[in-house]
Amino acid sequence: MSPPPRPIHVVDTTMFWSPTGGGVGRYLRTKHAWLGALPGWRHTIAVPAGADAAPGLVRLPAVPIPGSGGYRLPLRRHAIANRLGELEPDLIEAGDPYVVAWAAVDAARRRGIPAVAYCHSNLEAMARLAAGPRFGRFAARAARAYARRVYRRFDRVLAPSASMRDQLLDWGIERVACQPLGVDSAAFDPSRASAAWRRELGFDAASRVLVYAGRFAPEKHLDVLAAAVDRLGAPYTLVAIGAGPTPPRGDRVRVLPFVAGTEALATAFASADAFVHAGDQETFGLSVLEAMACATPVVARRAAGLAELVDDTVGIGVDAGHVGAFADAIAALFASDRAPRRAAARARAEAHDWNRVLPALLGQYRELLQAGSASIGGARDGAFDAAAPAALHPR
């Protein structure tokens, strides 16, 4: 009697891993649980973890990044590639474009297996913001050239939104597919609303509680949200949940530490009156989708990936990034009947449930695994197949 076939082993690797969470971590943990319950598949997460290592998680060599909220920096490309190869994967997905990405391509080449990149962040926009008005244009150009160089080595690059897909195509990266993220609509549910959560924070029924959850980073523009709430005054309060180098400050701001558990985060979302997000370079907006699953209306910048999630049916999209625009949008939301927006937000999130999203991701993997080693090698050398798979999405 022949032994059963070996499960297909998918290895995810990224430097975007922290004990204080983040959207990439939630994506990987969700995928790990989903693939673990699927016959014929096996999943491993290889990340620069510290003390938070757990079953199914493999540590990569890295050094801590001070003030980053627990992130660690992988530096040794050769050692990381060796560690990934030792796992004997059938497919590798890299969730960042830095040292780990190069190591993932190295390991995939040695084994003759597909290498997938998931583009969680917009390198060009981040470089422009970090360099400032004087040097931003030059930094953005350099970041675009770098992104083209690294992503062209992958057999497929997945983008979480149509806007990010289009940007990748503009950068000259050819093998791109749109693969949205999802939400656990059973865990993030309106039933999580809690009057006790509001009481513990000192809020009553008349309070207007705005919540943000995520990294406290410059590109999130939390200072704009804090200033908008300050301009609105009582009874508005911004509750910011997370960690990072640039927390919001103000008399009407409450900063809460990172929430690790899904139930606690869902309780915060469902108990708030609205979710707010001023980021203008989000490739998707996972926390926005999770808030919508809790039937919480959203005020968000109408830009990048957020523009594809938030419209006037589920909240208010803000066209400008200044304080006045956000203050006006928040006030307009509360001047309207929020019940229809709550229902529409929940319906939109249900359409993005992980159980609908992850089978499409599995389809991406199956196409690459069936393509054969010849096309894989050609893609890595930059000579892409003339006939792109059906899952690729040209503009």
Side-chain angles (χ1 to χ4, degrees):
M1 182 176 179
S2 60
R6 185 175 70 89
I8 297 170
H9 188 193
V10 175
V11 171
D12 267 283
T13 185
T14 181
M15 70 165 284
F16 296 146
W17 183 272
S18 165
T20 57
V24 177
R26 290 205 294 285
Y27 161 62
L28 295 184
R29 290 183 178 97
T30 301
K31 187 200 298 189
H32 185 72
W34 191 81
L35 281 177
L38 202 65
W41 293 82
R42 179 186 166 207
H43 186 246
T44 299
I45 302 172
V47 287
D52 60 326
L57 189 148
V58 173
R59 291 178 177 157
L60 300 177
V63 296
I65 305 174
S68 67
Y71 288 93
R72 301 168 72 88
L73 181 63
L75 295 172
R76 299 163 55 199
R77 172 177 170 180
H78 183 71
I80 295 169
N82 286 342
R83 187 71 186 97
L84 294 174
E86 290 168 0
L87 299 174
E88 299 185 348
D90 298 296
L91 180 146
I92 299 176
E93 179 176 310
D96 75 70
Y98 306 113
V99 173
V100 167
W102 293 98
V105 171
D106 292 344
R109 277 180 173 169
R110 292 174 193 168
R111 290 187 57 80
I113 62 172
V116 176
Y118 201 112
C119 185
H120 289 285
S121 56
N122 187 326
L123 279 184
E124 184 178 24
M126 291 175 63
R128 182 181 291 110
L129 178 66
R134 185 175 181 184
F135 300 106
R137 183 166 59 93
F138 303 102
R141 186 184 303 162
R144 176 188 290 220
Y146 173 81
R148 183 186 304 115
R149 183 172 169 232
V150 63
Y151 282 137
R152 277 183 164 179
R153 284 167 162 75
F154 285 87
D155 303 297
R156 188 164 300 179
V157 181
L158 303 179
S161 60
S163 65
M164 192 65 244
R165 174 204 60 198
D166 291 348
Q167 191 126 38
L168 288 162
L169 291 169
D170 284 340
W171 293 349
I173 300 156
E174 300 173 50
R175 299 180 66 86
V176 179
C178 187
Q179 175 59 56
L181 297 172
V183 63
D184 183 345
S185 60
F188 290 91
D189 183 86
S191 65
R192 301 289 185 183
S194 168
W197 182 89
R198 293 176 68 99
R199 284 196 304 270
E200 288 170 6
L201 293 175
F203 299 127
D204 58 23
S207 301
R208 292 180 172 179
V209 182
L210 313 175
V211 68
Y212 164 87
R215 289 188 303 115
F216 299 157
E219 67 270 15
K220 308 298 182 180
H221 302 298
L222 295 171
D223 56 329
V224 172
L225 296 178
V229 171
D230 184 64
R231 178 176 295 193
L232 289 166
Y236 293 92
T237 301
L238 171 64
V239 176
I241 305 171
T246 58
R249 305 183 188 280
D251 293 338
R252 307 207 62 79
V253 176
R254 299 282 298 275
V255 176
L256 302 182
F258 162 75
V259 174
T262 297
E263 184 174 344
L265 191 60
T267 296
F269 290 165
S271 304
D273 298 303
F275 188 94
V276 289
H277 200 312
D280 57 3
Q281 52 180 267
E282 297 297 304
T283 58
F284 184 76
L286 186 57
S287 60
V288 168
L289 185 63
E290 290 167 345
M292 288 165 55
C294 295
T296 302
V298 176
V299 175
R301 183 70 188 275
R302 202 193 308 268
L306 294 182
E308 298 172 35
L309 287 177
V310 180
D311 57 28
D312 289 344
T313 66
V314 302
I316 295 180
V318 185
D319 290 317
H322 57 76
V323 173
F326 268 89
D328 290 346
I330 293 167
L333 176 69
F334 283 89
S336 68
D337 180 5
R338 283 177 292 137
R341 286 185 165 112
R342 289 173 60 87
R346 173 63 185 178
R348 182 163 299 174
E350 288 178 331
H352 282 80
D353 188 272
W354 283 117
N355 286 319
R356 297 188 178 190
V357 168
L358 287 174
L361 177 65
L362 213 62
Q364 304 275 4
Y365 292 166
R366 285 192 172 111
E367 280 190 0
L368 289 168
L369 290 165
Q370 292 169 3
S373 58
S375 62
I376 291 168
R380 291 200 186 105
D381 290 335
F384 298 102
D385 295 338
L392 300 186
H393 299 278
R395 282 175 292 182

